[in-house]
Structure formats: C-alpha cells, structure tokens
Amino acid sequence: MSESKINELKGDIDELNLLLKQAKRKRVQDLLSVEVRKLETEWISLRDSASSATPMDVSPIPTTSTVQEKRYQVKLNGYGWDQSDKYIKVFVTLKNVQNLPKEQVYCKLTDKSMELIVENLDNKDYTLVINKLLEPINVGESHWKQKTDMVVIFLAKQNPMSKWSHMTEIERKFEDQRSNRFKNDDLDKKDPQESIMSLMKNMYETGDDEMKRMISKAWYEGQQKKKDSTIDL
C-alpha cells in the first residue's frame, strides 16, 4: 500500500476528529466516532504493513580482512507502537531475530530517545533511532524482549497514566500545524453543521447496512424533534 494512501487516511481521521469537536448532537457524535474508529483501524493496519515492507537503506561495513564475511549496516525506518498506563510499546519486525543471543539485541536509552541495535542478523547490523520522544521515559524501568520475528521495546512512562497522542514531539507539532491550517482555511469559510451533513451523506452512501440504519434513525429523530418544536410554538 502506497504512502500516499496512508497519508490520505490520516488526513481523513484528522478532519473527522475536527468535525467531531464541532458536532453538538449526541447521535451525530456517536456516528462520527464510529467512523473515526473504523478509519483508525484501517490506518493502523496499513501503517504496520508498510512498515514491514519499507525499503531500507543498506550500506556495506568496511572490514579489515578479506576472509571475514561482509556485514551491512541497515537503518530501520518503520515500526509500530502502542501504549498501556505504564509503558509505550515499540514493535520492530525482524525475521529470525529470536535466534540471536541476547547480547546482540539491546537498546541505548535516554529520557527522551531510544536506539535499538541488532547485531549480525544474517550478516546485517540493524539500528532504529527515535529521538525527541513526546514525553520523558524512565530509563531504569524500561526493557526489551525478543519474540518470534519481532523485538518489543517497553519504554516506561515517567508519568504513568499519561496518554501519548504521538510518539515524538515532531509528529505532534506537524499535526498541530496541519490542524491549524484546516481551521483557518476551512472552518472560517464553511458552516460546521453543513460540513457535518455533507460528511454524513457521504458516510451513508459508502457505509454498510448498519451505518445506513444508524444515519437514517438519527435523521428521522432529528426531523421529529423539529416538528415537535414547531407545534409547541
């Protein structure tokens, strides 16, 4: 799946979240939330698939002996992540990494960065560097594990129970700038309720039977309330 498709999905999710903040009716909020969760699930799946298939920069490591087998330095760019109350969990896919001795798989950590190093896996040395983490981590309580075709790094949150919106400060800054541009360029020019109605129409046309049923019910109940208000007056 192309990177443009992943970016397009991310943009749709961001726009839906902005419209969700503008929505005032509970049922409309529920409908938007369902669509956000649906797109987020698709986006995570595509992102993880792209991460495992991302081309990697490979360059040979000079050796001092012609007899010694060549080793290559591989810079990893793709990874997945999740979080619990205590940990940020980073998932790095590497085939057969479970077969390496533990001393060849390790991390260098600071309170705001991590570097995964995997030595001599099929004659390659792998590194993954993540700088400027969104929040500080507790180095002493962090650890990592080798699993089948994967390394999982457990970064202990310095502030347990905090929820990270992004993995790094740079990612959050980028999203904030994008959101601000959307608000300035679109929300000031367009009625939020009109945007929501247009979005719901598109959701109805492209949604499954359950989504159509929910939208039809929300529209019907809204029309009934309008009629009741008119009669009361």
Side-chain angles (χ1 to χ4, degrees):
M1 182 61 62
S2 65
E3 183 177 352
S4 60
K5 176 62 176 178
I6 296 174
N7 291 336
E8 182 180 348
L9 276 174
K10 190 65 170 67
D12 291 343
I13 293 169
D14 293 339
E15 185 168 339
L16 281 169
N17 281 322
L18 287 173
L19 291 173
L20 181 58
K21 294 178 181 178
Q22 296 291 328
K24 297 180 180 179
R25 296 180 58 80
K26 180 64 167 59
R27 188 167 295 277
V28 172
Q29 292 173 349
D30 291 341
L31 288 169
L32 292 174
S33 296
V34 168
E35 188 68 10
V36 168
R37 289 194 297 271
K38 177 180 175 183
L39 292 182
E40 284 179 339
T41 300
E42 182 180 356
W43 177 76
I44 290 172
S45 176
L46 291 176
R47 183 194 63 183
D48 291 345
S49 297
S51 296
S52 61
T54 299
M56 297 173 289
D57 300 328
V58 180
S59 58
I61 296 178
T63 59
T64 57
S65 172
T66 56
V67 179
Q68 184 178 355
E69 201 168 6
K70 286 186 177 180
R71 295 255 295 276
Y72 295 86
Q73 182 73 36
V74 182
K75 181 180 179 182
L76 297 171
N77 298 312
Y79 62 90
W81 72 281
D82 196 359
Q83 62 182 310
S84 62
D85 291 339
K86 187 175 181 181
Y87 293 103
I88 294 294
K89 292 173 281 188
V90 181
F91 305 94
V92 183
T93 302
L94 284 172
K95 186 173 179 60
N96 296 325
V97 70
Q98 72 275 9
N99 297 329
L100 289 180
K102 290 186 177 181
E103 59 269 18
Q104 290 178 214
V105 180
Y106 57 95
C107 286
K108 296 179 180 178
L109 305 175
T110 72
D111 63 340
K112 291 284 284 183
S113 71
M114 64 149 280
E115 179 181 4
L116 169 67
I117 300 171
V118 178
E119 296 180 342
N120 199 15
L121 176 60
D122 296 328
N123 300 319
K124 297 181 179 69
D125 292 336
Y126 294 88
T127 59
L128 170 68
V129 179
I130 305 178
N131 291 316
K132 294 187 178 180
L133 297 171
L134 184 66
E135 295 186 17
I137 62 172
N138 186 322
V139 175
E141 294 184 8
S142 299
H143 59 281
W144 51 90
K145 293 181 179 179
Q146 291 167 243
K147 298 190 175 184
T148 303
D149 298 332
M150 179 179 292
V151 180
V152 182
I153 303 99
F154 296 82
L155 303 176
K157 295 178 179 179
Q158 199 171 99
N159 300 311
M161 304 297 292
S162 66
K163 297 298 181 183
W164 290 27
S165 58
H166 300 80
M167 189 66 183
T168 65
E169 295 177 358
I170 295 174
E171 291 172 344
R172 182 175 65 179
K173 183 177 181 181
F174 175 80
E175 291 300 328
D176 288 346
Q177 291 176 343
R178 187 179 185 282
S179 297
N180 288 335
R181 285 199 302 270
F182 176 83
K183 290 177 182 178
N184 294 334
D185 295 342
D186 294 329
L187 293 184
D188 289 343
K189 300 176 183 178
K190 193 173 183 180
D191 182 2
Q193 292 299 322
E194 181 182 345
S195 298
I196 293 172
M197 292 303 297
S198 176
L199 177 63
M200 290 181 65
K201 180 180 178 182
N202 181 66
M203 288 166 59
Y204 183 86
E205 293 174 349
T206 60
D208 54 21
D209 291 340
E210 179 64 17
M211 178 63 70
K212 290 179 179 179
R213 186 188 67 79
M214 292 176 63
I215 293 174
S216 296
K217 185 176 181 181
W219 183 86
Y220 175 79
E221 291 180 353
Q223 293 299 314
Q224 288 297 113
K225 288 185 178 181
K226 285 184 179 179
K227 290 180 180 179
D228 292 343
S229 297
T230 303
I231 293 174
D232 291 341
L233 291 175

